Amino acid sequence: MPRIQDMPFPAIRYLPIVCTLLALWGWGTNTQAQPAPRKLKIVVTTSMLGDAVHHIVQDRAEVITLMKPGIDPHMYKATPRDIQALVKADVIFYNGLHLEGKMADILHKYGLRKPVYAASDGIDTAHYLVDPNFAQGIDPHIWFDASLWRQVVQYISSHLQAADPINRSHYQENTQLYVAQLDHLHQAVQTAIQQIPASQRVLISAHDAFGYWGRAYGVEVRGLQGISTLEECGLRDITDLVRFIVERKIKAIFPETSVPDKPLRAVVAGCKQRGHPVILATALYSDALGEAGTPAGTYIGMMYANVTTIVNALK
């Protein structure tokens, strides 16, 4: 390449003009660069919903989950930090069916000014479990049937695609991949249950959180407390459950990670007094996922952890 001093005179004469044009072109390009679009802010109540939304949006949106691992949503009250998150949210998802009973007024308030969706609205009402013993009438623990949770994921995805059209195709692709995983999970749980003798397919837990799970996977379910942990159990409830366990020769009962196990320990003691020792098995994940980074920290991991615990204790 020739040096500047070796160029013929005309080339040197026009060099400043060329440099000026190049500089102006670069300046114009920089001024036209567009900033990255602001990420959608999504707030969800439960850890199950948080996991579902993360699978759909991945890194394309900001997701805030109000209830942490081990939290009982029936008893949960919004904190000042939660209120700040709800104020800044573009979209809010909650379970519905009175699961977040103590947050009902707050969720209704924000539903008047921004998009707020109940995940349970994504399920055909014909699939709801109705319980006359529950004050609100319908069991809210819809996530324990993976085939119903599949519908919830698709419902959430449709609203996120509408709220964030720039990332619509990204959300659609992620949803399809996740739905395929949920279909595999549903079949895997059905297969695993077959390891338990038919007479022992009875799940007894701290409260009636597993009704959808029992219906989907062919297991009889009993809870010491009702559908909501707001309902307290009494001495008669304990006595009746002890009689049932002894008569059916049930091997194990299951505490839950989000519910105190003291009442179930009274059941174990009552069974022992009647000459039927029963195991208090490893706690099941019921109304919340496990800690982030653990196998049960995702919805699919939680479902596998629970079925493994149940099968190992009852088979």
Side-chain angles (χ1 to χ4, degrees), residues 39 60 219 242 256 261 308:
K39 288 185 176 182
R60 300 290 179 90
V219 177
V242 167
E256 301 172 26
D261 66 358
T308 299

Side-chain angles (χ1 to χ4, degrees), residues 165-185:
I166 293 176
N167 289 305
R168 177 179 286 116
S169 61
H170 180 71
Y171 296 165
Q172 288 175 340
E173 181 180 350
N174 293 340
T175 302
Q176 291 173 358
L177 292 172
Y178 190 47
V179 162
Q181 294 176 34
L182 294 177
D183 289 340
H184 177 77
L185 168 68

Side-chain angles (χ1 to χ4, degrees), residues 52-68:
V53 173
H54 273 295
H55 274 89
I56 296 167
V57 303
Q58 294 183 4
D59 61 349
R60 300 290 179 90
E62 180 183 352
V63 184
I64 297 174
T65 302
L66 301 184
M67 302 180 193
K68 305 308 178 187

